[in-house]
Structure formats: C-alpha cells, structure tokens
Amino acid sequence: MRITLIGFMGSGKTTVAKELSHQLNLPQNDLDTLIEQTAGLTIPAYFEQFGEARFRQLEQSVLTEALSLEGILSTGGGTPVQVSNQGLLKNQPGPVIFLDASDQTIASRLLADGVTSRPLFQQLGMDGLLALKQTRQPVYEKIASEIITVDGKQPADIAKEIIHSI
Ligand code: S3P
C-alpha cells in the first residue's frame, strides 16, 4: 500500500503524511528528506551549489526509488511538474492525493517558514511564487487521483478525509 501526496509548497504535504502514517500505521517517507540524505546537503545548499536543473535530475532518480517504498510518500512541490515524473506517478498503483490550498493559506505558511528553507521563495518572492502556483495548478489536478481542499482544516481531519476518499 502506498499513498503519494502532491501539492504546492506550504500545502501541508509533509505534515499530513505524518498524520496519515500515524492513523494508518504505515511508514512515512518524504522526498525532500530522501534527496537531502542522498545528496548529503540541504535543499537550499544543493540549489546554491548545483542549481535547479541538477536538483530536478536528482529528484527524479530519488522519486524512482521512493516509488518502490511502502507507506506514505510526500513529494516536493515541483515533483509532478516534470513530464517524466508524471509518468512515474501515473504508472504506480497507489492513489495520488493533491492537497489543494488557497493562495492565502500558502502565503501565510510560507511567510511563517521564512525564505531560507525554500530556494524558489528566495528567487521568486511571494508574487512570483503565487504565479508559479497558478501555472502548476492544472498539472496537480491532472496527476491527482483525489483532490482534497485543505484551507482551515486540521492535519488530522485532512488525513481522515483522505482515508475516506481512497
Ligand atoms: C520545490 C518545493 C520544495 C523542494 C524544492 C523545490 C518546488 O518542496 O522540493 O525547494 O519546486 O516547488 P516543498 O513543497 O516540500 O517545500
């Protein structure tokens, strides 16, 4: 059994994955964390040293491995954007859940986290990020097997909703 979570930065993928893992008693894996472990660098440090294009190559190879793991997988916000990753996500048997958050929800969470943990926030600023979110929205919708809106909901309730939807 594997459940994959997709959605924009700040949509709560990692937090909801932890909740799902707890409620379903399944292991949890986070793609960004697996990338950091593989690279031996934080994601901001990796972007700084190697740039986004190399990050995307690494992301794809780590995704390929992660899709053989059982349990809950939270992805990075940009993971479903690459066409090759879309194929990987579509061609595996588990549900792909899109956590759909409003601009307001995303903006307040990203501001609370600060720019240092997210290189694209650093590069694009808030307006640029929200524009990116808009361009990615149809991609998330296309890849998802379920869409769950998250605004104003607690992670535990979102996890319950996901469990009921699959
Ligand atoms: C990215 C999202 C990040 C991380 C990297 C790029 C993106 O993950 O993979 O900074 O392109 O949206 P989160 O969605 O977990 O912040």
Side-chain angles (χ1 to χ4, degrees):
M1 165 72 160
R2 182 178 43 259
I3 301 173
T4 305
L5 301 182
I6 64 169
F8 201 68
M9 291 170 250
S11 58
K13 300 177 295 288
T14 308
T15 312
V16 171
K18 285 187 184 140
E19 262 304 325
L20 276 172
S21 151
H22 177 69
Q23 291 184 26
L24 293 171
N25 198 22
L26 284 171
Q28 181 239 338
N29 290 289
D30 179 64
L31 193 66
D32 285 343
T33 306
L34 294 172
I35 292 170
E36 290 183 332
Q37 287 166 353
T38 305
L41 287 172
T42 64
I43 287 178
Y46 194 92
F47 264 71
E48 169 114 34
Q49 225 171 303
F50 299 110
E52 183 173 352
R54 286 273 297 276
F55 171 79
R56 297 300 173 194
Q57 288 173 8
L58 177 60
E59 181 178 49
Q60 188 189 321
S61 80
V62 177
L63 176 67
T64 306
E65 287 173 35
L67 286 175
S68 66
L69 302 172
E70 282 280 299
I72 317 299
L73 177 67
S74 43
T75 58
T79 309
V81 177
Q82 290 191 92
V83 176
S84 45
N85 291 347
Q86 295 174 4
L88 293 171
L89 290 166
K90 281 276 187 196
N91 292 326
Q92 51 91 35
V96 177
I97 314 290
F98 169 31
L99 300 185
D100 191 6
S102 67
D103 286 7
Q104 289 87 330
T105 297
I106 297 291
S108 67
R109 290 192 189 154
L110 293 182
L111 285 173
D113 289 352
V115 292
T116 50
S117 61
R118 291 198 169 91
L120 291 180
F121 189 11
Q122 221 156 353
Q123 285 170 24
L124 302 174
M126 185 58 80
D127 287 351
L129 267 198
L130 293 177
L132 180 67
K133 175 175 180 286
Q134 208 173 342
T135 67
R136 286 180 176 178
Q137 184 77 13
V139 178
Y140 296 137
E141 290 175 3
K142 185 179 78 173
I143 300 304
S145 55
E146 317 287 337
I147 301 176
I148 304 282
T149 57
V150 299
D151 299 313
K153 296 177 188 168
Q154 293 302 314
D157 295 327
I158 297 167
K160 282 189 199 127
E161 204 176 319
I162 292 170
I163 292 166
H164 283 126
S165 79
I166 57 177

